[in-house]
Amino acid sequence: MLITGALVTPVAGNLGDRHGGKRVMLRLMAVVSAGGLISALAPNLPVLLLGQVLEGAMVGAMPLSFILVRKHLPAGESQVAIGVVSGLFVGGGMLGTLMAGPIAEQLSRHWMFAIPTLAIVVATLFVHRVMPDDPPARSDAKIDWPGLALLSGILLTLMSGLAMAPEAGSRPLAIGALIVLLAVLVAGWISVERRSPSPMVDLHLLAKPGMWSSYVITFAVCMGTAVSMYLVPQLFAASGDGYGFGAGSTDIGRYLLPGTVAGAISGPLGGLAARRFGPTAVVGAGIGVMAATLLVMAFVHTEVWHLVVGKALVALASGVCITAMVVRTAASVDHTDTGTATGLVLVTRVIGFAAGVQVSGAVLTAGTRPGTADPAGSAFVTGFVIAGAVTALSMLLVPAMRKGVKK
């Protein structure tokens, strides 16, 4: 699902820009519904995985939602609406996580997929009947198939490289080959996009400091967030000498709930703050709070409430920051580029999370002594410090967000 979401999101955003957000949204939701149906009826794991691949396309609904929001709402309201959409995605994920276990236990795993699929079908009909139509902006533009194929190859290679990163020491040739392949694909994609009359991504737009800095900041913030998401549950579960709490899965879920709620409300809060104070100021404040919290967590984590509060603050600051980043990116481009620009933010977010998880795993693995079950306490300190440092360094790019973008 993660890989499918990374592949589909920029494509869905680009097609929405050209052919209309509602039109592409309905087709995307039909694909997701088909994936849910396949998952619900799957007799074995391979068929279930096929259904999950199709369901992963749902991430592409986010840039399409942003397109529709910008087309149908005034600028001030659209900033808040973008935050609401982001918050609903997080809240929906939280609700699905809470519902999955009881449904599977009381009914079956088949209903665990069937019930959400029925909800998606109803939502699709609702969008078809209620959502106003948005006229295509560039309906005559041809799809940049070479650019699409190369971008998909870049994302697949990058995600594969991140997945293999923990084994880099034992598989140097495979990692080296992936790096070379990634470089070739990037060079080919840039060459194709420069010559295409209707490119998937406008490279001139990406070259502006206000755009590329946004993507780099998004990567750093999401990487720092992912490190905390990975380390905090591990620290709750650990039972080392002088650190850890030996908590079970039920207790860990309870400890993490405030952070999940904070992440859900961060979207609307980020939209409101962006409208009131401006997206750039909100991004800077979010980075500051998040970096400070991560660094404090590195050295203050002797009580459960230290981690509960820290995790909630990181989730809130990260969500506010990313929402403001999406608002800034959407407002910095023409309406005809909304889906493409915001889709790339979301793809960068996925890559940042994947990188953060791999870094966390590598740090804990390196800090685990042979013959022991838990990493050393210093490994957790190192992980939090790395996350805080990467997040803090992204503050240096905040001033660049103001440069070279549409006012």
Side-chain angles (χ1 to χ4, degrees):
M1 292 183 69
L2 188 68
I3 293 175
T4 303
L7 293 176
V8 169
T9 299
V11 177
N14 184 270
L15 293 178
D17 286 333
R18 299 180 182 206
H19 304 288
K22 178 181 176 179
R23 181 180 179 184
V24 179
M25 174 80 82
L26 291 173
R27 286 159 175 74
L28 181 74
M29 294 176 78
V31 171
V32 175
S33 299
L37 181 61
I38 291 173
S39 298
L41 300 176
N44 52 49
L45 182 59
V47 176
L48 176 61
L49 292 178
L50 172 62
Q52 292 298 282
V53 166
L54 296 177
E55 281 197 273
M58 193 63 195
V59 182
M62 288 192 74
L64 297 174
S65 300
F66 301 151
I67 292 173
L68 294 168
V69 161
R70 288 199 72 197
K71 285 186 177 180
H72 297 305
L73 293 176
E77 294 182 14
S78 67
Q79 293 181 356
V80 179
I82 286 174
V84 171
V85 169
S86 301
L88 288 174
F89 264 84
V90 175
M94 178 179 65
L95 181 62
T97 301
L98 295 175
M99 291 173 55
I103 290 176
E105 292 176 359
Q106 299 300 321
L107 298 174
S108 69
R109 71 167 179 86
H110 299 283
W111 283 105
M112 185 174 66
F113 298 104
I115 291 177
T117 301
L118 292 174
I120 293 172
V121 171
V122 172
T124 305
L125 297 174
F126 188 73
V127 169
H128 175 68
R129 294 292 299 273
V130 177
M131 175 67 68
D133 291 321
D134 57 315
R138 292 173 286 175
S139 59
D140 58 338
K142 296 182 179 179
I143 297 177
D144 177 20
W145 291 112
L148 172 60
L150 287 169
L151 181 60
S152 300
I154 290 170
L155 293 172
L156 280 172
T157 304
L158 184 58
M159 297 296 285
S160 299
L162 289 173
M164 293 175 60
E167 305 173 9
S170 60
R171 305 175 67 181
L173 292 180
I175 296 294
L178 282 176
I179 294 174
V180 172
L181 176 60
L182 181 62
V184 171
L185 289 172
V186 170
W189 179 69
I190 292 174
S191 177
V192 167
E193 296 301 271
R194 282 179 172 176
R195 298 172 181 172
S196 174
S198 183
M200 274 284 298
V201 178
D202 185 352
L203 296 182
H204 294 92
L205 184 66
L206 288 183
K208 296 178 179 179
M211 296 304 295
W212 65 257
S213 61
S214 297
Y215 297 128
V216 175
I217 292 172
T218 298
F219 175 84
V221 169
C222 290
M223 180 177 172
T225 304
V227 171
S228 71
M229 291 175 61
Y230 187 94
L231 293 183
V232 169
Q234 298 286 340
L235 192 51
F236 279 139
S239 55
D241 184 14
Y243 69 95
F245 304 95
S249 57
T250 301
D251 287 334
I252 292 175
R254 183 160 49 88
Y255 297 153
L256 296 178
L257 186 58
T260 305
V261 174
I265 66 174
S266 66
L269 184 60
L272 287 168
R275 184 174 67 172
R276 175 66 178 84
F277 303 104
T280 304
V282 175
V283 170
I287 291 173
V289 171
M290 182 176 161
T293 302
L294 288 167
L295 292 174
V296 169
M297 290 172 67
F299 303 101
V300 183
H301 52 252
T302 55
E303 301 290 340
V304 168
W305 71 267
H306 294 162
L307 294 175
V308 171
V309 173
K311 177 67 172 63
L313 283 174
V314 169
L316 184 64
S318 172
V320 167
C321 185
I322 296 303
T323 300
M325 191 73 70
V326 172
V327 168
R328 174 62 177 170
T329 302
S332 299
V333 298
D334 294 326
H335 282 74
T336 54
D337 292 317
T338 300
T340 301
T342 56
L344 290 174
V345 172
L346 299 173
V347 171
T348 306
R349 182 180 179 181
V350 171
I351 295 172
F353 272 109
V357 169
Q358 297 302 335
V359 168
S360 304
V363 169
L364 292 189
T365 300
T368 303
R369 300 184 183 90
T372 60
D374 295 319
S378 59
F380 292 98
V381 174
T382 301
F384 284 124
V385 169
I386 291 174
V390 170
T391 304
L393 287 173
S394 68
M395 182 73 79
L396 299 175
L397 294 177
V398 172
M401 291 175 59
R402 301 185 177 95
K403 301 177 182 179
V405 295
K406 175 180 172 288
K407 301 296 183 183

